[in-house]
Amino acid sequence: MLIKKRKIKVGIIANEFMDENLGRLGGFGWAAKRAAEVFSQSQEFEPIFLTPLPYPDVNRSTGVSNGTRIIFRSGRKYLDMLRLLPERIDILLTIDYRTDYDVVFDCLPMTPIITWVRDPRSPDDIDKMMTLRFPGSNSTDIPGLHRNDSTALSAYVQPNRFFNRRVILASKMHYLIAKHTSTYNMPSSNFVLPNPDVINYEDFRHKPSPHPRVIYLGRLDPIKRPWLFIELARYFPDVEFLMLGRDHFEGNGGWQLENLPENVKMLGHVSGTEKYELCSSAWVLVNTSLHEESPVSVFEALASETPVLSYEDWGDIVKSFGISIGQHTGNGLEGITHLVDGLDQLLSNHNRRQALAKAGHHYVKNEHNNQRFLSNFKNIYDAAYSKLLTREPTVKLRNAIKTGSF
């Protein structure tokens, strides 16, 4: 009788899941959802969502999000440890690191951790973010602006920790490796875990709009400075500007949307086929953020053959497949003339725009896809266990096993 080989069970830890019932929608949620989908379609891995979020209902401890089981925390550590024990989770994949993940780590003290480095905020990044201001205001009271101390992750790799487990950093892109030490207080790691497919390439058809169309794709949070996209639209009255993203303007404490130009359309949150069709139809995607790391929206645009205009650049992808004007801190309005010039260049030069679009599509399709994601993840998983299996249990662990004093 053949014994069926058990799949490797991956506990995906995140604080958002691209699920409106579980909070906000953003890049971390996209990464968690797509990783789970790719694992589910594979022959080797089985995903489960783990979250520091409390039960959404006192009568529920588990649920399903986007087709994947999810386990919520109860707030009682030992109860949560007992609930997770029969799950037999082999490895943890965290969507970057936030300190609230610790409550999940502590419930699985022997399980290796792969931290998918997607948005590492170094001290320099945080200082830059703290310059953010609303137009016409010097107030420092900006919603969503806070300092994240990611160095706490290093506590889980100290050799004197009780269980002495393995923690591996795996960057979304190679250039992020340079931020490992300053962000996490850990040695840099050369492992790279790229994005899975960002669009469905089999169904992809490039259908550019017959008239100039520019899009903004992302939440309308202050850190993304959406007012710059609106200001840019005033310089191009004959161009259609589409804002795709949930409206977070209300109650922002310092800036209100007003005097919207007639050529700007607010479409709110858009997903699925509609989003990809709009991405493909656009001539240019504009990113106005003060800080974010190679956002999913940029990869989606490039995969859809839409070049990018941005303040920031990430590993030279904007320089290679669009125009980066260089970062202007604060409210960003000092850079508006450069933004206008960059957009004018992309809209007026059809041949250049088309060449950038095709090159961007080729890059994303070949570098960020399901096959590379799975292959790289398996290599990282093997590395985590090759280190662990050659390590003798610590004296503390042996004594704990003997006495049962966990």
Side-chain angles (χ1 to χ4, degrees):
M1 179 179 177
L2 294 175
I3 299 176
K4 185 177 179 181
K5 182 180 178 182
R6 186 175 74 89
K7 288 187 174 183
I8 295 168
K9 198 162 192 178
V10 184
I12 301 174
I13 303 178
N15 49 22
E16 59 181 69
F17 298 94
M18 287 301 282
D19 185 334
E20 293 187 85
N21 295 318
L22 298 177
R24 71 179 192 173
L25 310 177
F28 277 27
W30 179 92
K33 175 176 178 287
R34 286 295 294 124
E37 289 171 344
V38 177
F39 287 142
S40 295
Q41 294 162 7
S42 75
Q43 299 298 312
E44 196 164 6
F45 300 103
E46 175 189 352
I48 184 169
F49 287 144
L50 308 175
T51 180
L53 298 173
Y55 294 169
D57 185 317
V58 293
N59 298 314
R60 284 179 55 195
S61 60
T62 63
V64 176
S65 177
N66 291 307
T68 298
R69 284 184 61 229
I70 182 169
I71 297 181
F72 303 94
R73 70 176 178 87
S74 68
R76 291 180 286 178
K77 176 180 175 180
Y78 295 107
L79 174 60
D80 288 338
M81 291 178 76
L82 290 173
R83 289 171 55 240
L84 290 174
L85 190 63
E87 296 292 341
R88 300 175 66 188
I89 295 170
D90 298 291
I91 195 86
L92 297 175
L93 175 65
T94 75
I95 310 303
D96 214 292
Y97 170 72
R98 296 294 181 261
T99 53
D100 57 358
Y101 295 177
D102 292 357
V103 297
V104 183
F105 292 169
D106 292 343
C107 291
L108 295 164
M110 298 181 69
T111 308
I113 299 168
I114 299 172
T115 292
W116 195 2
V117 179
R118 299 187 61 84
D119 184 22
R121 296 182 177 180
S122 69
D124 287 343
D125 291 330
I126 294 173
D127 287 344
K128 178 184 66 176
M129 291 167 60
M130 291 300 164
T131 70
L132 181 63
R133 299 292 183 271
F134 290 114
S137 172
N138 290 319
S139 173
T140 60
D141 184 17
I142 310 292
L145 200 61
H146 50 81
R147 294 182 180 271
N148 293 309
D149 182 11
S150 297
T151 61
L153 180 62
S154 64
Y156 291 91
V157 293
Q158 297 303 317
N160 61 349
R161 276 193 67 84
F162 185 77
F163 290 105
N164 205 18
R165 66 169 149 203
R166 178 74 166 153
V167 179
I168 294 180
L169 302 176
S171 297
K172 173 179 55 177
M173 291 177 65
H174 191 271
Y175 79 95
L176 293 174
I177 293 171
K179 292 188 176 186
H180 287 181
T181 301
S182 62
T183 303
Y184 306 103
N185 193 30
M186 292 172 58
S188 60
S189 162
N190 288 323
F191 288 110
V192 173
L193 186 61
N195 291 309
D197 290 352
V198 297
I199 65 171
N200 186 335
Y201 291 104
E202 292 184 0
D203 294 341
F204 171 71
R205 299 291 184 275
H206 184 49
K207 299 178 181 178
S209 170
H211 56 270
R213 171 180 285 175
V214 178
I215 64 168
Y216 168 106
L217 178 57
R219 291 195 313 271
L220 307 183
D221 292 351
I223 193 68
K224 299 180 186 294
R225 303 187 300 194
W227 52 82
L228 292 170
F229 186 78
I230 294 172
E231 186 64 24
L232 179 63
R234 301 187 196 280
Y235 290 83
F236 297 88
D238 297 327
V239 175
E240 183 181 32
F241 282 71
L242 304 181
M243 296 195 80
L244 282 64
R246 177 160 292 173
D247 188 349
H248 287 184
F249 292 137
E250 184 177 355
N252 62 29
W255 181 76
Q256 297 293 328
L257 175 63
E258 56 186 20
N259 299 323
L260 191 69
E262 292 183 359
N263 59 329
V264 175
K265 296 180 180 178
M266 310 287 292
L267 301 184
H269 176 67
V270 179
S271 60
T273 302
E274 182 183 5
K275 179 177 74 169
Y276 297 123
E277 287 179 350
L278 287 171
C279 244
S280 175
S281 72
W283 290 27
V284 178
L285 175 133
V286 175
N287 183 288
T288 55
S289 294
L290 174 60
H291 174 79
E292 59 181 332
E293 285 293 352
S294 48
V296 175
S297 59
V298 167
F299 291 104
E300 289 174 329
L302 294 177
S304 302
E305 295 191 12
T306 300
V308 175
L309 172 65
S310 174
Y311 281 75
E312 298 247 277
D313 199 353
W314 310 278
D316 289 338
I317 59 174
V318 179
K319 177 182 176 181
S320 301
F321 314 115
I323 294 176
S324 171
I325 67 167
Q327 187 53 268
H328 294 260
T329 56
N331 61 33
L333 288 170
E334 288 184 358
I336 196 67
T337 56
H338 301 290
L339 201 66
V340 170
D341 180 63
L343 184 57
D344 184 59
Q345 289 183 48
L346 290 173
L347 293 180
S348 62
N349 191 329
H350 174 74
N351 290 336
R352 180 188 181 190
R353 189 177 67 252
Q354 191 173 52
L356 291 171
K358 290 188 178 300
H361 173 84
H362 179 80
Y363 161 76
V364 177
K365 184 176 181 180
N366 285 278
E367 295 295 323
H368 297 269
N369 56 61
N370 294 349
Q371 293 73 28
R372 288 199 69 224
F373 173 84
L374 284 173
S375 175
N376 287 22
F377 184 84
K378 182 59 167 61
N379 289 338
I380 301 167
Y381 171 84
D382 289 343
Y385 272 94
S386 69
K387 297 290 185 182
L388 286 170
L389 294 177
T390 59
R391 181 182 294 151
E392 289 295 322
T394 64
V395 173
K396 288 184 178 180
L397 179 55
R398 287 198 297 270
N399 291 338
I401 292 171
K402 289 179 181 178
T403 63
S405 56
F406 289 96

